[in-house]
Amino acid sequence: MIACFHFLFCFYFPSILQQIKSSNARETTSNASGYEIFNLEPTGAIAIFILFTFLLLLSLVTLLLYIRNSKQEKRRIQSLLEETKIRERTLNALFESSPVGIVVSDSVGTILSHNKLFLKFFGWDNSIGLSPRTFRDIFSESHLQKVTTIIEEIRRGSSVGLPNEISILHPDGTAHWYYHICTRFDNEFVGTDTFLHIFSDITEQRNFENKLKKEEEKYRTYVELSSDAIWCFESTEPISTSLPIEEQMQMIFTKGFLAECNQTFANFYGFDDVLKARGTKLSDIISSENATKVALVYNFIQNGYKLDGFLTTIQDKDGNNIYLRNSLFGIVEEGSLVRAWGAFQNVTELIQLQNKYQETAKRYKELIDNINSVVLHLNLNGDILFINQYGLKFFGYEPDELIGKNVVGTIVPSGKSNSGEDSQTFIRRILNHTEHTEQDEYAESENMKKDGTRVWLSWKNAPISDDSGNYSEILSVGIDITERKKAEIELQRTWDLIFDLMDALPDAVCFKDSEGRWIFANNVMLKLFNLEGKKYKGKTDAEIIQLDEFYRSALETCIESDRKTWERGIASHYEEVVTSKDGRENIYDVVKVPIYNPDGTKQGLSVVARNITIQKIALSALQESEERYRKLVEGLPFPTFVLYGDNVIFANRPAKELFQKLSNSPSEYSFNVKQYFTNDDSSKIAKIASNSYQSEELPPEISIEVGGEERLFDISSVPILFGNKESYLLVLNDVTERKRYSEYLEELSKKLQQQKIELENINQELARKNQELDELNSTKDKFFSIIAHDLKNPIYGMKGLINEFNDSFDMLNDAEKREFVSAILSSSSKLADLLESLLLWSRTQTRVLPYNPTDLDLRYLVENSISFCSQNAKQKDIVILQRVEENTFVYADVGCVTTILRNLISNAIKFTNQGGLVRISSETIGDNGMRYERVAVADNGVGIPFEVQDKLLRLDFQYTSLGTSGERGTGLGLIIIKELVELNGGKFWFESKPNEGSIFYFTLPKKEGEK
């Protein structure tokens, strides 16, 4: 205020002073013309002085006030500066933490300042500043032009430039979109216009908008081009969802109208285009008289304003039904239905096809359920999708027990089947389309019924492809081939046993075809011609010679004997010699049998060669021995003869001269010593022959009438093997003139004693060989007697059944065919059991059975044998109990012990009645300082007759009887068991009472050397 006064004073004071001067001048001019122009009156001067003083004081006060106000302004300015710094820091913080990119530039686009987010938006490193770079370094030409245009608009007067969108390609190759706003503000430091640019990242929004646009385009394309009728209805007023359904339906029919539809909908209801269809009342489209349409609306409301797949029916102009599949979706806002979108398809043809399909499926299902085959539908996981009634009945299941269950573990057993292949792997391989092969189209597999019975089925497998051409499911049709498969398995087993038997025979065996090519040879034959490990099959003898030239001579002999056999046309015997590579000559008795086809053509040649070298040597030795004896006896000067029993089988010339009856006999074998000697002398001769007189007694003497006089003879006896007979050599010495011939007799006695020792050695060797031959002959006779009797009957029986089955096959029904197959299976099973027993028995007799003793867990072997026999026991409802302690070990061969246990348990089941009991137990015992495990297998069956118990384990006695269910045996089982037990160092015996049962015992040693 003071300053204002001072201003006014300085401004108006000269004017006032000028006015005063003017007034005084006028007065001076008028009153005294000689006065000075500027001559004031005293009163005016006083007034001016007072005014000047006032003004001076006023200036002084003003100055003082100005100084005071200046200090206050300085303090205010300092406060403003502090406030400005705080605001600047705040603005800088906001500048850097802003969610948008901020850039300050001049009018030509030079970047003056920026925040970090701007650098991040445009893909620049934060450590690199942009100033003083320009927008040209960042934007493309088009986006640069947009920014330049906005700046020019603002310079021409626009307060804020129009926003625009720009896109930037980042160094990583991604495109980003930004929303750009620009405004101008004054900058006193730059001195030119300054512009503030704000960039917002709208990449996600832009991407979403693009996606939304594409979806809208896709939706529009789908709606317009869809073959389905798509429509939308709205109501002239919202329909409250709280109203009863009937009232909502009434409002829909009275207030609803068509808001949108596609061309398909318009065409279906007879509209030329979509525009003409819009606005149509809903009641004109959905007639309330059509029950299916009314049901459509009712279910739409009842299901919460959502409905899918609802079928409605209308009729065309010809009265035919048109079927529509409808879907509806309502939009509910604030408790009211505001609109609903719908779509329908004309499924008339589909419904007609479904009706036809259902009728066809019904007939097909009836056919599938009644077909005499198992029909199975599986997915790729092996889950059962369908199985027909025949299959359910065949496997013994109810539908809910199989449908949805996996095929493995239900009708397909887990683990390896009798076919040798893992059933689960087999099913997986068929179901896996990447491994499916043509051979899997037809397959045979072992399956399992609900009760555990194993059955065989022949499957026809047909993979089912999905729309992509990949296998997704499989359809299988199976036929029951259990009986045939059992017969094939047993037949194969029979042939395997036959070939094993051939390999176990001591004779060399081979078979040739009609051209002389080898098709089979057992191990003995291969070893004979050094063919082990060589490819001999399909080669003739001439080609086999090329494999080893050493056997050329023997094989050429074979070729010649083959030719002679085919010429004769009958079984022929030959004696052929084969020299081994160690130089030994082996003599073989060869039997060659030609085999012809039914039409008389050649089929093949069977060859069996037995090594008779030892027999030949023995026979030669016997013949040589007999010849030596003859020469020796003939050369003796004393009456000498050979006595076999009571008959003289050879006598020398002195003996014939001494005994006239010998000379007169037509045959030496017809002379009996009892016919000539007295009873007393005959008794003496018997004692001499058997050396049964006491050692302290002198050799007895006999009296013989010679030439009318009695002469005394002492008799010397030596046991000899004459030919193949165990005989005695009797030498008669005339002791009447003993003294005269004493020296001669003494010397002769020494010679005879020496010869006696030689003869004894020869006899012992011959006796041993003869015993071995007898044992071999006994075994051979037993073997061939079984083959000739027991083996022949089932073979001929099976052959007769097969011939009859073949002749009458076309006239038989399925039941009769099953009876034939069952009978053939029974015969082949019996034949296989017999051959298996024969093979095992022959190996024990020929000492070729492998024997490898080791520590064995007896309880494990017993449980394993029980499991092996459990099926037979289950068929007869027989309970098997075992009482073998854990950790019970024996020292024996595992194969032998397994065979012993299985035979004994099988026998116990065979001779035990339905519902019986079999017990297996063991205990440790001691015998002769050794520890044994005594095993007992007891049953409560039919027992063994007392009259055969003593003979049951003898080789020369064969006893067989039928089991309680008609089972047959070979008669060799117990003999084999006895030999196997003794082979392992144990003993075997039994106790039995008829009609009460039997207990079979056997012992096995504990660990070797254990006391």
Side-chain angles (χ1 to χ4, degrees):
M1 183 179 292
I2 296 172
C4 290
F5 284 134
H6 184 267
F7 172 77
L8 291 174
F9 173 77
C10 292
F11 183 79
Y12 290 107
F13 180 74
S15 297
I16 294 172
L17 184 60
Q18 184 67 34
Q19 289 177 3
I20 292 174
K21 287 181 177 182
S22 298
S23 177
N24 290 333
R26 284 192 302 265
E27 290 180 357
T28 301
T29 303
S30 65
N31 295 324
S33 56
Y35 282 95
E36 294 178 359
I37 295 175
F38 192 70
N39 187 17
L40 296 178
E41 291 292 331
T43 56
I46 294 169
I48 292 172
F49 176 78
I50 293 170
L51 181 62
F52 178 79
T53 303
F54 173 76
L55 290 175
L56 182 63
L57 291 174
L58 182 63
S59 298
L60 181 62
V61 172
T62 302
L63 179 62
L64 292 174
L65 291 175
Y66 174 77
I67 293 172
R68 179 177 174 272
N69 290 337
S70 296
K71 291 181 178 180
Q72 292 178 350
E73 183 67 19
K74 182 179 181 181
R75 286 194 296 269
R76 189 178 66 81
I77 291 174
Q78 288 178 348
S79 176
L80 289 174
L81 288 175
E82 292 294 332
E83 184 180 351
T84 301
K85 290 180 179 179
I86 294 173
R87 188 178 298 172
E88 182 180 1
R89 288 195 297 268
T90 303
L91 289 175
N92 287 336
L94 291 174
F95 186 74
E96 292 299 331
S97 61
S98 174
V100 295
I102 302 174
V103 179
V104 178
S105 73
D106 60 13
S107 60
V108 296
T110 302
I111 297 175
L112 305 177
S113 180
H114 60 82
N115 66 352
K116 293 181 180 179
L117 191 59
F118 174 79
L119 296 177
K120 181 178 179 182
F121 277 177
F122 292 93
W124 290 81
D125 190 349
N126 290 337
S127 63
I128 302 175
L130 292 180
S131 301
R133 298 192 181 185
T134 66
F135 286 145
R136 188 176 298 277
D137 298 327
I138 300 176
F139 301 126
S140 64
E141 192 65 32
S142 59
H143 292 313
L144 180 63
Q145 183 63 38
K146 289 182 179 180
V147 174
T148 304
T149 302
I150 291 173
I151 293 174
E152 288 298 325
E153 289 178 356
I154 294 174
R155 294 183 66 185
R156 285 197 297 266
S158 176
S159 60
V160 179
L162 294 176
N164 67 91
E165 295 180 0
I166 61 176
S167 63
I168 299 296
L169 185 65
H170 281 198
D172 60 0
T174 59
H176 286 252
W177 286 87
Y178 299 98
Y179 188 75
H180 174 226
I181 299 176
C182 181
T183 185
R184 182 176 64 177
F185 68 95
D186 294 330
N187 190 328
E188 57 182 340
F189 298 104
V190 176
T192 59
D193 291 338
T194 306
F195 295 87
L196 178 67
H197 303 268
I198 298 176
F199 294 91
S200 299
D201 189 350
I202 59 170
T203 303
E204 293 185 3
Q205 177 184 349
R206 191 61 178 268
N207 290 338
F208 176 77
E209 290 175 353
N210 291 335
K211 183 177 181 181
L212 186 62
K213 182 179 179 181
K214 289 181 181 178
E215 291 295 327
E216 184 178 357
E217 292 173 353
K218 181 174 69 174
Y219 158 77
R220 179 58 59 185
T221 302
Y222 169 75
V223 169
E224 295 300 330
L225 301 180
S226 174
S227 59
D228 297 343
I230 300 174
W231 58 291
C232 174
F233 80 84
E234 296 181 4
S235 177
T236 55
E237 64 179 76
I239 302 173
S240 175
T241 57
S242 62
L243 294 174
I245 296 179
E246 290 76 10
E247 294 184 19
Q248 294 185 53
M249 291 178 62
Q250 184 179 5
M251 291 187 69
I252 288 174
F253 280 108
T254 57
K255 299 183 181 299
F257 64 91
L258 184 65
E260 290 287 345
C261 72
N262 65 352
Q263 191 63 41
T264 304
F265 183 92
N267 293 339
F268 184 83
Y269 282 100
F271 296 101
D272 294 336
D273 55 43
V274 171
L275 295 177
K276 292 183 179 180
R278 292 174 182 168
T280 304
K281 289 184 179 181
L282 198 61
S283 57
D284 294 340
I285 299 174
I286 303 178
S287 174
S288 59
E289 297 178 358
N290 189 324
T292 60
K293 296 289 187 177
V294 173
L296 170 69
V297 178
Y298 182 86
N299 282 275
F300 166 68
I301 299 173
Q302 189 181 43
N303 292 332
Y305 307 99
K306 295 178 182 179
L307 193 64
D308 185 34
F310 192 87
L311 199 66
T312 60
T313 307
I314 62 174
Q315 291 184 338
D316 60 11
K317 60 182 180 180
D318 297 326
N320 298 320
N321 285 336
I322 298 176
Y323 297 94
L324 305 176
R325 177 178 289 147
N326 297 266
S327 298
L328 283 173
F329 182 79
I331 306 299
V332 178
E333 295 178 355
E334 298 180 355
S336 297
L337 176 67
V338 296
R339 74 182 62 85
W341 285 93
F344 66 78
Q345 290 177 314
N346 188 341
V347 293
T348 305
E349 293 184 2
L350 179 61
I351 295 297
Q352 292 173 349
L353 288 175
Q354 285 180 346
N355 293 335
K356 291 181 181 179
Y357 171 76
Q358 290 175 354
E359 183 65 26
T360 304
K362 182 179 178 182
R363 292 196 300 267
Y364 174 75
K365 187 175 185 303
E366 292 176 354
L367 174 65
I368 292 299
D369 283 338
N370 296 321
I371 194 173
N372 195 23
S373 300
V374 178
V375 179
L376 195 63
H377 188 189
L378 308 173
N379 62 17
L380 289 185
N381 294 325
D383 299 326
I384 300 174
L385 306 178
F386 170 79
I387 183 170
N388 65 344
Q389 289 296 323
Y390 175 86
L392 291 169
K393 183 178 179 181
F394 178 81
F395 288 109
Y397 285 96
E398 294 297 327
D400 57 352
E401 293 178 312
L402 281 184
I403 303 301
K405 304 296 189 303
N406 198 278
V407 67
V408 177
T410 52
I411 65 174
V412 175
S414 300
K416 285 191 176 180
S417 64
N418 290 341
S419 63
E421 182 176 13
D422 183 273
S423 301
Q424 188 169 0
T425 302
F426 175 73
I427 293 297
R428 294 281 184 258
R429 178 166 54 84
I430 292 180
L431 295 177
N432 189 346
H433 68 280
T434 60
E435 299 178 5
H436 182 78
T437 59
E438 292 297 330
Q439 64 181 3
D440 292 329
E441 182 179 355
Y442 295 94
E444 295 179 356
S445 66
E446 188 181 29
N447 296 82
M448 180 174 63
K449 293 185 177 180
K450 183 179 179 181
D451 59 4
T453 304
R454 299 296 180 99
V455 291
W456 279 89
L457 282 86
S458 175
W459 295 98
K460 170 66 170 67
N461 303 302
I464 302 174
S465 302
D466 56 16
D467 295 337
S468 301
N470 298 320
Y471 293 159
S472 60
E473 296 174 350
I474 185 169
L475 182 66
S476 300
V477 180
I479 302 175
D480 183 15
I481 58 168
T482 304
E483 298 301 324
R484 176 176 69 80
K485 197 66 178 181
K486 287 181 178 179
E488 290 177 358
I489 292 174
E490 291 300 325
L491 185 60
Q492 183 61 42
R493 183 182 174 191
T494 300
W495 282 113
D496 291 341
L497 289 173
I498 290 174
F499 286 127
D500 288 342
L501 179 62
M502 294 296 181
D503 280 335
L505 289 175
D507 299 334
V509 180
C510 79
F511 298 99
K512 302 177 183 178
D513 62 12
S514 59
E515 301 299 326
R517 292 184 290 262
W518 290 40
I519 57 177
F520 171 77
N522 68 348
N523 291 331
V524 178
M525 181 65 79
L526 295 177
K527 192 176 294 183
L528 177 62
F529 290 104
N530 192 27
L531 294 176
E532 294 171 298
K534 298 179 181 178
K535 296 181 179 180
Y536 70 90
K537 291 185 179 181
K539 297 183 182 296
T540 63
D541 289 335
E543 292 171 334
I544 290 177
I545 291 174
Q546 299 175 5
L547 299 178
D548 197 334
E549 284 286 338
F550 180 83
Y551 297 99
R552 173 177 290 277
S553 177
L555 289 170
E556 287 177 347
T557 302
C558 291
I559 295 173
E560 180 61 23
S561 59
D562 288 354
R563 184 188 62 78
K564 291 180 180 180
T565 302
W566 284 116
E567 288 179 354
R568 295 172 183 172
I570 57 174
S572 303
H573 277 264
Y574 302 95
E575 190 172 290
E576 299 179 1
V577 177
V578 179
T579 303
S580 62
K581 290 192 175 183
D582 58 3
R584 291 183 299 174
E585 290 188 350
N586 295 292
I587 304 171
Y588 288 88
D589 178 24
V590 182
V591 179
K592 297 192 175 184
V593 181
I595 303 172
Y596 295 91
N597 293 313
D599 59 359
T601 58
K602 295 179 181 180
Q603 183 179 9
L605 193 67
S606 173
V607 181
V608 180
R610 172 169 294 180
N611 192 336
I612 58 173
T613 306
I614 297 176
Q615 292 91 323
K616 281 289 185 179
I617 294 174
L619 181 61
S620 176
L622 289 173
Q623 292 174 349
E624 183 180 351
S625 174
E626 182 177 351
E627 186 63 27
R628 287 175 59 190
Y629 281 131
R630 287 180 181 274
K631 291 181 179 180
L632 176 62
V633 174
E634 283 290 357
L636 292 175
F638 304 103
T640 306
F641 55 87
V642 178
L643 186 64
Y644 176 68
D646 293 333
N647 293 324
V648 175
I649 59 175
F650 179 75
N652 63 355
R653 183 181 57 77
K656 291 180 180 180
E657 291 177 353
L658 180 62
F659 302 105
Q660 292 299 318
K661 288 186 177 181
L662 283 175
S663 300
N664 298 331
S665 297
S667 172
E668 294 172 346
Y669 290 92
S670 64
F671 181 76
N672 192 297
V673 293
K674 293 182 179 180
Q675 297 176 0
Y676 184 80
F677 295 103
T678 62
N679 290 336
D680 184 46
D681 288 340
S682 297
S683 178
K684 290 179 180 179
I685 292 174
K687 285 185 177 183
I688 293 170
S690 60
N691 291 323
S692 60
Y693 58 85
Q694 299 298 323
S695 59
E696 62 273 7
E697 297 178 355
L698 292 173
E701 296 178 348
I702 60 174
S703 176
I704 302 175
E705 182 179 354
V706 178
E709 65 173 336
E710 294 289 334
R711 299 185 69 86
L712 294 176
F713 293 88
D714 63 3
I715 302 177
S716 300
S717 174
V718 178
I720 63 172
L721 188 64
F722 193 82
N724 60 348
K725 296 179 175 60
E726 294 182 359
S727 308
Y728 295 93
L729 179 67
L730 299 179
V731 179
L732 279 65
N733 181 24
D734 188 354
V735 295
T736 306
E737 299 178 357
R738 181 186 300 273
K739 292 182 180 180
R740 184 172 42 179
Y741 298 106
S742 60
E743 294 178 359
Y744 174 78
L745 290 176
E746 184 177 357
E747 183 178 355
L748 181 60
S749 178
K750 292 179 180 179
K751 292 181 180 181
L752 289 174
Q753 187 65 28
Q754 184 178 359
Q755 292 176 354
K756 176 182 177 182
I757 294 173
E758 294 177 359
L759 289 173
E760 285 178 348
N761 292 335
I762 294 173
N763 287 336
Q764 290 176 0
E765 179 66 17
L766 292 175
R768 185 181 62 79
K769 292 185 178 297
N770 191 51
Q771 184 178 0
E772 292 179 356
L773 289 174
D774 287 343
E775 290 177 356
L776 288 174
N777 287 331
S778 177
T779 301
K780 178 197 68 176
D781 294 339
K782 180 72 174 179
F783 180 73
F784 282 110
S785 68
I786 293 174
I787 292 178
H789 184 268
D790 293 343
L791 190 60
K792 177 184 69 177
N793 290 340
I795 290 178
Y796 283 176
M798 187 165 62
K799 179 181 179 183
L801 283 171
I802 294 173
N803 288 335
E804 185 177 353
F805 183 45
N806 184 56
D807 295 338
S808 59
F809 183 86
D810 295 333
M811 296 181 292
L812 298 175
N813 57 35
D814 291 342
E816 291 171 336
K817 291 177 181 179
R818 289 191 185 95
E819 291 179 0
F820 267 100
V821 174
S822 178
I824 294 171
L825 176 61
S826 176
S827 297
S828 63
S829 178
K830 293 172 185 176
L831 179 61
D833 291 339
L834 177 60
L835 286 174
E836 187 173 6
S837 297
L838 282 172
L839 176 62
L840 182 58
W841 177 69
S842 66
R843 287 177 176 173
T844 61
Q845 298 299 306
T846 55
R847 302 296 187 268
V848 296
L849 188 68
Y851 175 66
N852 299 301
T854 185
D855 282 334
L856 304 176
D857 187 343
L858 182 61
R859 178 167 178 168
Y860 170 78
L861 295 179
V862 169
E863 290 177 345
N864 189 39
S865 299
I866 291 174
S867 176
F868 179 81
C869 303
S870 61
Q871 188 62 33
N872 293 336
K874 184 177 180 181
Q875 292 176 356
K876 298 176 73 174
D877 293 328
I878 293 174
V879 176
I880 302 177
L881 299 177
Q882 68 91 6
R883 293 291 185 269
V884 179
E885 296 294 333
E886 292 185 352
N887 298 322
T888 300
F889 290 89
V890 294
Y891 189 78
D893 179 84
V894 63
C896 293
V897 178
T898 300
T899 301
I900 293 167
L901 288 170
R902 289 185 180 179
N903 273 274
L904 289 178
I905 296 173
S906 296
N907 279 347
I909 295 171
K910 181 190 302 182
F911 296 107
T912 299
N913 293 312
Q914 192 82 10
L917 177 66
V918 175
R919 299 185 301 275
I920 302 103
S921 60
S922 76
E923 64 175 337
T924 303
I925 62 173
D927 188 10
N928 294 329
M930 297 289 292
R931 297 182 65 209
Y932 294 84
E933 195 70 20
R934 184 181 69 186
V935 184
V937 180
D939 63 73
N940 57 355
V942 298
I944 303 171
F946 288 116
E947 60 269 19
V948 301
Q949 291 186 12
D950 293 337
K951 307 174 185 177
L952 196 60
L953 300 179
R954 285 167 44 184
L955 183 61
D956 58 351
F957 178 78
Q958 185 177 4
Y959 172 77
T960 58
S961 62
L962 295 178
T964 57
S965 295
E967 304 99 321
R968 282 190 177 275
T970 62
L972 293 174
L974 295 180
I975 295 175
I976 293 173
I977 292 172
K978 179 176 180 293
E979 300 226 11
L980 293 178
V981 170
E982 292 175 353
L983 177 64
N984 284 273
K987 297 179 181 179
F988 176 70
W989 72 97
F990 66 91
E991 298 172 1
S992 181
K993 291 183 181 180
N995 300 321
E996 292 185 14
S998 305
I999 304 177
F1000 289 86
Y1001 298 93
F1002 67 95
T1003 62
L1004 294 172
K1006 304 292 279 184
K1007 188 174 181 181
E1008 187 175 23
E1010 185 178 348
K1011 298 293 184 180

